[in-house]
Amino acid sequence: MPPVLELRNITKRFPGVLANDRIDLTLNRGEIHALLGENGAGKSTLMNILYGLYQPDEGEIFINGEQARINSPTDAIHAGVGMVHQHFMLIPVFTVTENVMLGSESIKVGGVLDRKTAAERIREISSAYGLAVNPDDYVRDLPVGGQQRVEIIKLLYREADILILDEPTAVLTPQEADELFKIMHSLTERGKSIIFITHKLREVLDIADRITVIRRGQVVGSTTPKQADQNKLASMMVGREVDLKLEKKAAKPGAVVLEVENLKIADDRNQIAVDGISFQVHAGEVLGVAGVQGNGQTELVEAVTGLRNALEGHIHLLGEDTTQASPRHITELGTAHIPEDRQRDGLVLNFPVADNLVLNTYYKQPYSQGLIMQHELIAETAKTRVENFDIRTPSVETSAGSLSGGNQQKVIVARELSRPLKLVVASQPTRGLDVGSIEYIHGRLVASRDEGAAVLLVSSELDEIMQLSDRIAVMYRGKIVDVLPAKGASKEQIGLLMAGLSGQKTLKNPAKRGKSRKDA
Amino acid sequence: MSSQSTTIPTVASYGTARRRTTMGIVFLALAGVIWYFFSRTTQAGMITTFTLNPGGSQANFPDLVFGTLPILNVLASVCALIGAFQLVRGFGKRTNAVLGLVAALFIFAFLSWVASGASLNLAGLLRATLIRAIPITLGALSGILCERAGVVNIAIEGMMLTSAMLAAIFGSLYGLWVGLFSGVIAGGLLALVHAILSIKYKTDQIVSGTVINIFSIGITSFISAKYLASSRHLNNPGIFSDIQIPGLVDIPFIGPIAFSHNIFFFGMVILLALLHFGLFFTRWGLRLRSVGEHPKAADTLGINVFRTRYMAVILGGMMAGFGGAYFTLGSVGRFDEVMTAGRGFIGLAAMIFGNWNPFGAFGAGLLFGFADMLAARLAILGVRVPSEFLLMAPYVATMIILAGVVGRGQMPAADGQPYEKEGH
């Protein structure tokens, strides 16, 4: 029997980049085939080719042994290929039924929608595969896990046999991810075949039947979970030996640097995003804020750094009330901010690297003498920092926007951490970066801690939180569900908290919890 | 999974609470206005008379006569009670409906005050309101078609103006129906220009729309001054006569108001119902809205984003063309320079006020039409309020709505964003 899908010699060039370089890939019936690679390795490009969104420059696609021409998503759907995109392709103001049926609607005479029949089919699919959804719900009201189930139902509704899941776990809690894995197994048991794209090593080893690793647009190897381990996969991805364990000394917490009291913040839509939270961060410790994205972390960080006004409550920085303070004042007190969206909030993309490196100090001596900026000095400083922080850039005059994501982030880190600091606020500091840059940035954050700064780390990557933090605060729906010491905390426990379930397990350490919460 | 959803705490909505208070204060303020400006200035014993037969109608329906002061006091008290309830408990989801009710009460109070000691033809007012709402509503429907598909169209004014002129010329030469047809086609052609500029060449849609507006004003003014002024026979199409709907027109009070109009009014009602049904109950509408909300999602499901947008913008232009023909063939009977006088823009305001829903836009069109008509009438009645204030009122209301005080509207998510296909 021929494989369900075979890609032969797929090549795709973008201006200046070879995104896919002669890639071969086969997918067998009932198989979960993991496609592993760093961001920018070419996984998504390959899948977009298979789904008809891009056209390959060379290469052929065979489905069930027959050559297929896939020029558009419509062709892909006809060929039985379906894709769950990394960013969901759902319309929030439509119901589940409307989202699922869109493009292949059930209709009555004259093009009138037959919502009832469609909803009925959705219920059938939902119960057959264990995908719990209510067809009449609006998608905007569903949690992320529910939206993902709608995406999968969309594929099954179109009777897709080959399912492509592009980074499906990026937005899920560990428990939701486990739920997804169950669904994936129930799909393969019924004869569906799955291509699972990810850069998370643990998941690959848990769920895949086969693994193909892609690096810089090329297949660097295929293996199975039995033959591989995390270190081996990581070195295949990166192309060199990687140390996944971060060495760090025990923390020596000092005085309170940041104190947040009963803070309430509204988001852009005027909904309460942070709902009365209190915590402290001490000098020389890393407080990790864990939580699925969108549970108030963004607003919290913006309030602490002066970018958003609080509705209620207070923020004290080094004993001073900075609730109403300007971002500049907060910066001048010794705060570094590594923002969540590096391109929007971290850099001026059109400015050269050198100017970006002094965005927080340009107006002060020695970079400015009165009104005049000292360009030579700024360029000199930039050169030193580029060297110290290992920023790969053709020159300090190159615009920041033309650097790779990892190097952009290093520019921000270099700017923010090259001052005497009291507080470091780092939000998703390694999102989308390659393993090498992650290693480096983690090292820098721990170094800041060891120099006596308080570090507030916000991340939705649980591994990152576990590795770096001394204490972990878990946020869920705008509240801190729990604060617990990182030592002895388990992933499962934090995962449950991230899902809003305050399991009894977390009550084991009342003494330490009491300490961190006494002023709440 | 289901076990999780039960533990999700509800997130308090800060915006909702603030909005409840704001609306309560608005209701109380309107009650205050009724009492302070109307009741206080009305002498006891004054009588208000509302005539309930529009002029020219054969029907004979008795007049509505009541004492002004008692009614005003009752209206003020009702508004105050509603406001108090809103502040304390809130009407929740029905708040907008209650807002409409309070607005209606306020308008009734205002008319009672204006007509105290005199007689006001209420039926005539309502009929004129419906007529004035025609071009505004058609403009709004045109905007809804375009924006629901994700293309901002501020060129409706220009489309209407060009259509009005061509309808007059072709109507004079070949008859009313040819005039109407050419008006609709003119709107469609200008829309095609807008579509090509904004969909294919991804020009800024505001710039493209502005260009079409300026072009339309220029070309119509030029042709009007150069040719129409000297050749009277090119600008004398006449107007469509009224159609009486048999049976319905005999309903007392309502019949003469709503069932004796020319084809533009009935056309608008049919288009209104068709658009509502089409948008929300057919495959056509689902796809059109998907393209305006999330074009990429639509694209991944095999929907042709570009074709859908072209179709929507051109149909919208034809709708505006129909509205434009109303000015010459349904109302005045000849073309005058810049005769649309901003109705296309007001239509856009009605679209926003009506939250991109056809019936909502019609409601807003009625409100704007009412203010438009009242300003004209009151000047004749010699009322103490400058008519300019009345003309301003609906737009002040629109600004307040745009500022989000009354609750932010649900604009299509991809409105005004050109769609770029990747990887080609």
Side-chain angles (χ1 to χ4, degrees):
Chain A
M1 202 168 104
V4 181
L5 171 75
E6 197 178 350
L7 301 178
R8 284 190 205 154
N9 209 21
I10 300 283
T11 299
K12 175 76 184 172
R13 293 179 199 89
F14 289 120
V17 193
L18 190 56
N20 287 162
D21 185 8
R22 284 164 288 148
I23 291 187
D24 294 321
L25 187 77
T26 57
L27 177 68
N28 297 317
R29 193 177 161 80
E31 175 185 58
I32 297 177
H33 191 143
L35 201 52
L36 185 66
E38 297 199 300
N39 287 14
K43 300 165 295 186
S44 291
T45 306
L46 185 66
M47 290 304 112
N48 283 333
I49 287 171
L50 177 55
Y51 193 63
L53 289 169
Y54 296 164
Q55 305 309 315
D57 297 320
E58 285 162 42
E60 292 155 331
I61 299 171
F62 292 86
I63 290 174
N64 294 319
E66 283 173 36
Q67 185 160 9
R69 294 233 153 271
I70 300 183
N71 295 322
S72 70
T74 318
D75 293 346
I77 293 165
H78 284 311
V81 177
M83 178 158 170
V84 174
H85 299 262
Q86 190 175 352
H87 304 286
F88 294 156
M89 293 293 168
L90 294 174
I91 296 166
V93 297
F94 282 15
T95 63
V96 171
T97 308
E98 288 170 338
N99 267 291
V100 171
M101 78 197 302
L102 182 65
S104 13
E105 300 85 351
S106 358
I107 49 169
K108 295 184 264 198
V109 194
V112 178
L113 293 175
D114 187 357
R115 292 192 167 91
K116 227 183 224 169
T117 309
E120 205 44 55
R121 263 203 71 199
I122 292 168
R123 284 202 188 89
E124 279 164 25
I125 294 169
S126 154
S127 59
Y129 293 92
L131 292 152
V133 293
N134 174 10
D136 301 327
D137 282 348
Y138 282 93
V139 163
R140 60 164 179 247
D141 299 332
L142 297 181
V144 180
Q147 295 187 7
Q148 192 164 55
R149 291 196 290 278
V150 176
E151 283 280 26
I152 296 172
I153 289 175
K154 261 165 82 175
L155 311 188
L156 299 174
Y157 190 87
R158 287 162 177 73
E159 294 174 344
D161 288 320
I162 301 165
L163 311 182
I164 309 166
L165 307 182
D166 190 358
E167 302 267 2
T169 55
V171 286
L172 302 182
T173 64
Q175 278 75 20
E176 282 177 317
D178 288 342
E179 186 78 18
L180 173 70
F181 294 157
K182 262 188 230 152
I183 292 168
M184 286 166 67
H185 279 306
S186 94
L187 289 167
T188 49
E189 274 162 25
R190 284 168 176 75
K192 309 283 184 195
S193 318
I194 297 176
I195 298 179
F196 173 53
I197 303 177
T198 187
H199 65 264
K200 293 186 186 170
L201 306 170
R202 189 175 51 89
E203 293 175 352
V204 171
L205 294 170
D206 280 356
I207 184 145
D209 297 314
R210 280 198 299 148
I211 303 166
T212 296
V213 183
I214 294 186
R215 189 174 73 229
R216 296 194 183 169
Q218 287 176 318
V219 173
V220 289
S222 280
T223 179
T224 61
K226 283 201 189 105
Q227 299 163 354
D229 60 34
Q230 292 210 13
N231 280 320
K232 185 182 168 200
L233 290 176
S235 52
M236 279 169 85
M237 266 167 75
V238 184
R240 61 177 168 85
E241 290 299 313
V242 188
D243 190 3
L244 292 170
K245 285 267 176 328
L246 176 77
E247 296 295 327
K248 67 172 189 188
K249 291 176 273 182
K252 298 186 197 105
V256 173
V257 173
L258 175 71
E259 184 172 10
V260 168
E261 272 179 286
N262 193 27
L263 197 65
K264 248 187 198 187
I265 312 167
D267 65 13
D268 293 333
R269 293 168 305 158
N270 242 330
Q271 308 284 313
I272 299 285
V274 173
D275 194 3
I277 68 172
S278 305
F279 64 86
Q280 295 176 333
V281 194
H282 297 257
E285 73 160 354
V286 177
L287 176 70
V289 177
V292 181
Q293 227 197 319
N295 276 287
Q297 302 97 317
T298 307
E299 288 77 11
L300 171 65
V301 165
E302 286 177 350
V304 167
T305 51
L307 297 169
R308 186 181 283 273
N309 287 325
L311 299 174
E312 280 173 33
H314 291 280
I315 302 165
H316 290 275
L317 186 55
L318 302 165
E320 184 183 332
D321 188 336
T322 56
T323 320
Q324 303 291 335
S326 69
R328 177 169 281 185
H329 182 71
I330 292 171
T331 306
E332 285 175 348
L333 285 176
T335 304
H337 179 204
I338 301 172
E340 181 181 314
D341 185 338
R342 71 178 77 97
Q343 301 203 329
R344 200 190 67 191
D345 300 327
L347 297 167
V348 183
L349 293 176
N350 292 330
F351 280 14
V353 169
D355 288 353
N356 270 294
L357 281 167
V358 293
L359 281 182
N360 52 352
T361 42
Y362 70 91
Y363 58 94
K364 287 202 293 206
Q365 296 261 15
Y367 302 117
S368 283
Q369 302 286 352
L371 289 174
I372 314 297
M373 280 176 71
Q374 306 297 307
H375 283 293
E376 268 168 40
L377 179 69
I378 290 172
E380 280 310 307
T381 319
K383 275 175 198 150
T384 332
R385 287 190 188 167
V386 162
E387 220 158 88
N388 289 347
F389 284 80
D390 189 27
I391 302 167
R392 312 261 166 90
T393 171
S395 83
V396 295
E397 294 307 320
T398 310
S399 74
S402 60
L403 302 188
S404 74
N407 284 305
Q408 289 182 352
Q409 191 72 345
K410 282 183 190 167
V411 172
I412 297 174
V413 169
R415 175 182 76 217
E416 296 297 329
L417 302 188
S418 314
R419 296 187 296 142
L421 291 172
K422 301 291 183 199
L423 173 67
V424 176
V425 181
S427 188
Q428 319 286 1
T430 60
R431 173 183 288 168
L433 300 190
D434 56 278
V435 177
S437 303
I438 293 175
E439 248 184 322
Y440 184 82
I441 288 170
H442 282 178
R444 280 284 173 172
L445 287 173
V446 171
S448 293
R449 178 201 76 163
D450 291 342
E451 284 159 19
V455 179
L456 178 66
L457 168 73
V458 174
S459 176
S460 48
E461 294 279 344
L462 202 43
D463 291 318
E464 181 166 77
I465 293 278
M466 305 284 288
Q467 272 186 22
L468 291 181
S469 307
D470 299 308
R471 288 188 300 139
I472 300 173
V474 185
M475 272 188 91
Y476 178 70
R477 298 233 155 177
K479 292 191 195 304
I480 289 187
V481 199
D482 206 347
V483 184
L484 56 169
K487 221 173 236 166
S490 74
K491 260 189 187 166
E492 290 67 33
Q493 188 185 356
I494 295 176
L496 285 172
L497 291 168
M498 281 163 69
L501 301 174
S502 37
Q504 283 77 14
K505 275 189 273 179
T506 56
L507 293 171
K508 272 181 189 164
N509 263 328
K512 294 207 171 170
R513 269 163 23 90
K515 186 185 165 201
S516 58
R517 279 188 157 185
K518 65 176 179 240
D519 32 65
Chain B
M1 280 286 156
S2 55
S3 65
Q4 276 186 25
S5 55
T6 53
T7 58
I8 292 172
T10 49
V11 179
S13 172
Y14 176 68
T16 312
R18 194 184 66 171
R19 189 173 161 229
R20 200 186 80 194
T21 323
T22 316
M23 292 293 270
I25 292 169
V26 168
F27 296 165
L28 286 180
L30 288 176
V33 170
I34 297 178
W35 175 76
Y36 188 83
F37 289 103
F38 305 161
S39 286
R40 265 182 1 118
T41 57
T42 306
Q43 290 159 5
M46 292 285 266
I47 298 288
T48 296
T49 307
F50 283 146
T51 309
L52 299 184
N53 300 302
S57 157
Q58 272 86 52
N60 201 5
F61 199 60
D63 292 350
L64 183 65
V65 182
F66 53 83
T68 312
L69 194 56
I71 288 290
L72 284 180
N73 287 337
V74 167
L75 290 172
S77 319
V78 170
C79 287
L81 276 177
I82 292 176
F85 185 83
Q86 170 73 10
L87 275 181
V88 180
R89 297 280 300 276
F91 286 97
K93 280 184 176 165
R94 283 186 291 274
T95 307
N96 275 343
V98 174
L99 174 67
L101 175 71
V102 172
L105 293 178
F106 180 80
I107 289 169
F108 190 77
F110 176 72
L111 291 178
S112 307
W113 172 68
V114 165
S116 67
S119 160
L120 192 68
N121 190 337
L122 192 64
L125 283 184
L126 292 178
R127 187 164 188 278
T129 298
L130 287 182
I131 291 172
R132 300 234 176 195
I134 294 172
I136 298 173
T137 307
L138 286 170
L141 296 184
S142 167
I144 289 171
L145 256 172
C146 299
E147 298 208 1
R148 281 280 185 177
V151 179
V152 170
N153 183 0
I154 63 159
I156 291 168
E157 174 80 6
M159 294 172 185
M160 281 186 161
L161 191 60
T162 309
S163 151
M165 186 189 72
L166 288 178
I169 296 174
F170 285 94
S172 309
L173 292 173
Y174 306 110
L176 289 174
W177 286 99
V178 177
L180 177 60
F181 181 74
S182 51
V184 171
I185 296 296
L189 285 177
L190 279 181
L192 178 64
V193 174
H194 183 57
I196 292 173
L197 285 176
S198 55
I199 299 168
K200 184 165 184 201
Y201 294 107
K202 299 170 179 47
T203 322
D204 187 295
Q205 298 172 8
I206 302 297
V207 172
S208 158
T210 307
V211 166
I212 292 175
N213 282 333
I214 294 172
F215 167 79
S216 298
I217 292 174
I219 192 90
T220 56
S221 299
F222 170 74
I223 293 178
S224 175
K226 179 97 179 166
Y227 301 107
L228 298 188
S230 53
S231 319
R232 278 291 160 114
H233 68 281
L234 284 178
N235 194 8
N236 188 19
I239 61 171
F240 282 99
S241 50
D242 282 1
I243 303 165
Q244 325 265 330
I245 305 284
L248 294 176
V249 78
D250 299 325
I251 302 172
F253 187 54
I254 294 171
I257 292 175
F259 297 107
S260 169
H261 288 278
N262 63 27
I263 58 150
F264 286 99
F265 177 76
F266 297 119
M268 176 202 76
V269 173
I270 291 167
L271 288 173
L272 175 66
L274 269 183
L275 185 60
H276 178 81
F277 183 77
L279 276 181
F280 300 111
F281 295 95
T282 69
R283 175 171 65 185
W284 173 84
L286 189 72
R287 291 185 173 189
L288 188 145
R289 287 186 289 138
S290 75
V291 162
E293 293 285 347
H294 196 333
K296 191 154 187 213
D299 197 4
T300 59
L301 294 172
I303 292 167
N304 189 326
V305 176
F306 297 121
R307 205 166 59 202
T308 310
R309 286 190 166 176
Y310 271 108
M311 183 269 302
V313 174
I314 291 170
L315 282 182
M318 292 168 76
M319 191 88 88
F322 182 68
Y326 158 82
F327 289 96
T328 43
L329 307 184
S331 174
V332 180
R334 89 174 170 270
F335 180 78
D336 296 322
E337 279 181 37
V338 203
M339 73 187 301
T340 47
R343 293 308 196 293
F345 290 115
I346 296 169
L348 283 179
M351 170 193 76
I352 295 165
F353 205 124
N355 204 7
W356 285 266
N357 280 320
F359 279 100
F362 177 55
L366 286 178
L367 187 65
F368 293 173
F370 178 78
D372 192 6
M373 174 273 312
L374 205 59
R377 293 289 164 100
L378 291 186
I380 300 168
L381 271 178
V383 178
R384 291 141 282 186
V385 184
S387 62
E388 286 80 3
F389 280 110
L390 280 164
L391 271 180
M392 277 191 298
Y395 309 113
V396 173
T398 306
M399 281 192 272
I400 291 171
I401 282 176
L402 285 177
V405 177
V406 191
R408 204 169 282 285
Q410 272 285 344
M411 181 172 164
D415 202 359
Q417 294 167 15
Y419 180 61
E420 306 231 23
K421 245 173 135 62
E422 286 175 54
H424 289 281

